Amino acid sequence: MTDTDYTLTSPLAKLADNASALLGLTIIWHPDSQRIGEQFMVSNPDGQVEINRFLPLFRHPGKDGLPLGYGGISRDPVRISRDGYDNILITPPASRMVVEVNGEEINAPVALSREQLEAGVILGLGRAIIICLHWMRCLPKHNPALGFIGVGSAAIVARDQIRQVAGTELPVLLLGETGTGKEIAARAIHAYSKRANAELVSVNMAALNEALAAADLFGAVKGAYTGAQNARKGLFAEAEGATLFLDEIGNTPASIQPMLLRVLESGDYRPLGAQQDQKSSARLIAATDQDLYSEGFNQALLRRLESFIIHLPPLRTRREDIGVLLLHLLSNSKLPNDIGTSLPVALVSEFANYDWPGNIRQLSHVLRRALLALQLGEVPQLSSLVKATHKAPSSVAQASISADSKFPQPATPRKKLAELSDEDVLRAMENNDWYIQGAAQELGVSRPSMYKLLDNHSQIRRAEQIPTEEIRQSLETSAGDVEACAALLKTPSEALRRYLKVVDYKNNSIKTE
């Protein structure tokens, strides 16, 4: 087996893309929390399925199947049919049970395209049970990987890849937006590797001072640079026989990138001021939310790092996992258990329909705000927890049709940058908790274009340009909530979080949760 077996052209990735997809039904929320995450796969050729109190049978992998069973669910079924083009038609029952699609109540058949299913369709039944309709490109299975939660095919494939690469010595490159769990994946790879008994050594590459980065990574002999009174042990030396996690690899200083390439090619590196090379036995895992395929990153280094790539998908493309993620986050919260189990179904529906530009990290923070509100006796709504409710691409108000009509084929409009004013950009950032991805989606522009809009904006600032004392005061005002702090400072949440790590790494001057 060679390195090229696990590059971007890996057969494993092609299988996931090209395999015939099954229509999956996943329970996101149920009055019995043990039912959350149970699934039913629609395997019959005509793609027909009826959902009522008694059928179909939902199950966890390896467990017996059970019907929804809740008394508030009608005996008269909701009918879901699939045509030859993988479009689906949802027909509500002739009963008084409330049926919602993507958060909107329906009273007539609703048609949804294959593309809309890619984003996940949220089906609410009787204001008590929430089910996600989505594509499954592999069968459900129990393949836990430390801390990496999810029941959909994207999560299953990612965990398979984590376990697969953990048993090798290959470098791993973790790609994904901020908040998708790259550090969790790195820790899982280390935990399942032969190096699990050794320490996982982590470094935020964005925090490295370019002048001292070589000494931080590779070490230095006494007197190698001004102020160096003693020899310095580098991170590669600390990671001997262990795993070295290079977070934010896209921010590696340009002068350091060829040195990393040399380590990956030969295992050799030379401490600053030393006369001889040293050999590294560290296993490298790198992670980034940036595009490394641009001219700004050493492409030879990228080719070495991409021996095995794991793409961590954004939360908006794995809506089926929101229920089990909520359960996991609730179990780790420090609030009383009865607070979490009393989450209003309407709020969970809003959670399931939100696009989460900050991904799982943002979900965790918003859930914490919701739990605090519940503890105070309030009934929280998503609009009070985040600035906007960014829904899935499908609008059932437009999609509600008769059973004889054709399936709609919605298109996402793109806008020209010249059409957008500073007010438009500022409003989009405010509406999306200052997450760039969500604002870009709202404006109908690409992420690179969004960066250009931010760079040219008169009111939006870069985090590194804001005085440290102003950041400290804003953090105190927002009780450590980074999204709220970003709104006060008018700076993107992702960049602020990254900068806070840099400041904390350098002088421990600012602490965040």
Side-chain angles (χ1 to χ4, degrees):
M1 185 176 293
T2 65
D3 286 1
T4 56
D5 292 328
Y6 295 109
T7 63
L8 287 176
T9 58
S10 166
L12 181 62
K14 289 184 178 179
L15 177 63
D17 289 339
N18 299 334
S20 179
L22 295 174
L23 178 60
L25 280 63
T26 297
I27 298 177
I28 288 183
W29 208 247
H30 192 286
D32 179 358
S33 62
Q34 294 184 2
R35 304 294 307 278
I36 295 172
E38 289 183 351
Q39 297 178 300
F40 173 76
M41 299 294 109
V42 183
S43 57
N44 50 314
D46 60 1
Q48 300 282 338
V49 63
E50 295 184 344
I51 307 175
N52 63 17
R53 190 185 306 174
F54 307 109
L55 288 172
L57 302 182
F58 293 82
R59 71 187 71 233
H60 290 298
K63 301 292 182 64
D64 293 334
L66 293 171
L68 292 176
Y70 181 66
I73 302 301
S74 172
R75 293 178 173 85
D76 194 13
V78 175
R79 290 180 172 85
I80 300 174
S81 56
R82 177 180 177 181
D83 71 4
Y85 299 98
D86 289 337
N87 306 300
I88 68 167
L89 187 72
I90 301 175
T91 304
S95 71
R96 291 182 296 175
M97 181 179 73
V98 174
V99 177
E100 296 168 308
V101 175
N102 290 345
E104 298 178 21
E105 187 173 342
I106 66 168
N107 297 296
V110 169
L112 298 165
S113 69
R114 177 185 176 90
E115 289 72 23
Q116 288 170 302
L117 262 293
E118 290 288 353
V121 172
I122 303 302
L123 180 65
L125 302 177
R127 295 198 172 101
I129 291 175
I130 302 173
I131 293 173
C132 182
L133 280 60
H134 57 100
W135 298 121
M136 283 288 286
R137 293 181 170 83
C138 63
L139 292 176
K141 67 176 177 178
H142 182 65
N143 66 335
L146 191 67
F148 201 93
I149 308 299
V151 293
S153 52
I156 292 171
V157 168
R159 288 196 297 267
D160 275 349
Q161 291 176 322
I162 286 171
R163 286 183 169 275
Q164 181 182 18
V165 77
T168 74
E169 292 295 303
L170 292 171
V172 183
L173 180 59
L174 303 170
L175 300 178
E177 294 177 8
T178 180
T180 50
K182 296 185 291 296
E183 184 173 353
I184 290 173
R187 293 189 178 280
I189 292 169
H190 176 70
Y192 294 120
S193 74
K194 298 176 182 178
R195 302 165 179 255
N197 292 330
E199 182 183 1
L200 174 68
V201 179
S202 300
V203 57
N204 186 329
M205 302 302 284
L208 294 178
N209 180 306
E210 186 162 4
L212 302 177
D216 287 338
L217 288 170
F218 306 112
V221 300
K222 182 177 180 180
Y225 57 93
T226 303
Q229 301 299 321
N230 299 300
R232 186 170 184 175
K233 186 177 182 181
L235 291 169
F236 271 91
E238 289 184 19
E240 275 300 304
T243 304
L244 180 58
F245 176 44
L246 306 177
D247 199 8
E248 308 290 359
I249 188 69
N251 293 97
T252 304
S255 61
I256 299 300
Q257 293 179 25
M259 301 179 188
L260 289 177
L261 174 60
R262 183 171 181 242
V263 176
L264 283 167
E265 287 181 333
S266 64
D268 295 332
Y269 69 93
R270 180 170 296 188
L272 202 63
Q275 299 298 314
Q276 293 182 333
D277 288 345
Q278 293 187 15
K279 205 79 170 177
S280 171
S281 64
R283 194 261 183 91
L284 293 187
I285 301 175
T288 186
D289 62 354
Q290 300 183 31
D291 178 14
L292 300 184
Y293 296 87
S294 63
E295 295 181 359
F297 193 82
N298 187 308
Q299 295 300 291
L301 173 58
L302 175 58
R303 295 294 173 260
R304 286 289 178 176
L305 288 173
E306 66 177 8
S307 294
F308 196 106
I309 296 178
I310 299 179
H311 292 269
L312 301 180
L315 187 52
R316 63 184 171 276
T317 66
R318 43 179 292 213
R319 258 172 244 276
E320 64 274 13
D321 293 335
I322 287 178
V324 292
L325 284 167
L326 286 173
L327 275 188
H328 175 72
L329 294 170
L330 287 169
S331 68
N332 291 328
S333 71
K334 297 179 180 179
L335 295 177
N337 291 335
D338 59 338
I339 295 293
T341 55
S342 63
L343 275 181
V345 176
L347 180 61
V348 176
S349 177
E350 289 187 291
F351 278 11
N353 282 291
Y354 187 59
D355 267 355
W356 300 110
N359 295 294
I360 301 171
R361 181 182 293 125
Q362 186 189 17
L363 172 66
S364 175
H365 291 167
V366 172
L367 176 62
R368 183 187 62 185
R369 296 174 210 165
L371 294 177
L372 290 172
L374 286 168
Q375 197 174 33
L376 295 173
E378 301 173 3
V379 181
Q381 294 182 330
L382 188 61
S383 58
S384 67
L385 302 171
V386 295
K387 295 295 184 180
T389 51
H390 222 46
K391 284 193 174 183
S394 58
S395 172
V396 298
Q398 298 176 356
S400 184
I401 61 171
S402 70
D404 298 327
S405 301
K406 293 182 179 179
F407 289 95
Q409 297 295 328
T412 302
R414 283 286 181 182
K415 294 182 180 178
K416 295 180 180 179
L417 300 191
E419 299 174 355
L420 298 170
S421 66
D422 276 4
E423 290 76 14
D424 293 331
V425 176
L426 186 61
R427 187 183 308 112
M429 292 297 289
E430 290 174 342
N431 286 346
N432 290 277
D433 264 357
W434 287 82
Y435 281 101
I436 294 172
Q437 182 67 39
Q441 288 180 332
E442 180 174 322
L443 293 174
V445 300
S446 66
R447 191 178 175 98
S449 295
M450 191 67 200
Y451 280 115
K452 292 180 181 178
L453 291 170
L454 295 176
D455 286 341
N456 295 328
H457 201 284
S458 59
Q459 299 180 54
I460 297 175
R461 299 182 289 176
R462 290 178 175 270
E464 61 270 19
Q465 295 173 341
I466 304 173
T468 301
E469 185 57 33
E470 184 180 352
I471 295 177
R472 187 194 307 279
Q473 291 176 0
S474 297
L475 271 174
E476 291 177 357
T477 301
S478 56
D481 189 317
V482 175
E483 287 84 0
C485 182
L488 290 174
L489 297 170
K490 288 186 169 57
T491 190
S493 296
E494 303 101 314
L496 177 61
R497 187 178 303 279
R498 188 177 297 124
Y499 181 68
L500 291 174
K501 288 182 180 179
V502 171
V503 174
D504 187 36
Y505 178 86
K506 285 181 177 178
N507 54 26
N508 209 29
S509 64
I510 295 180
K511 287 286 188 182
T512 61
E513 54 182 309

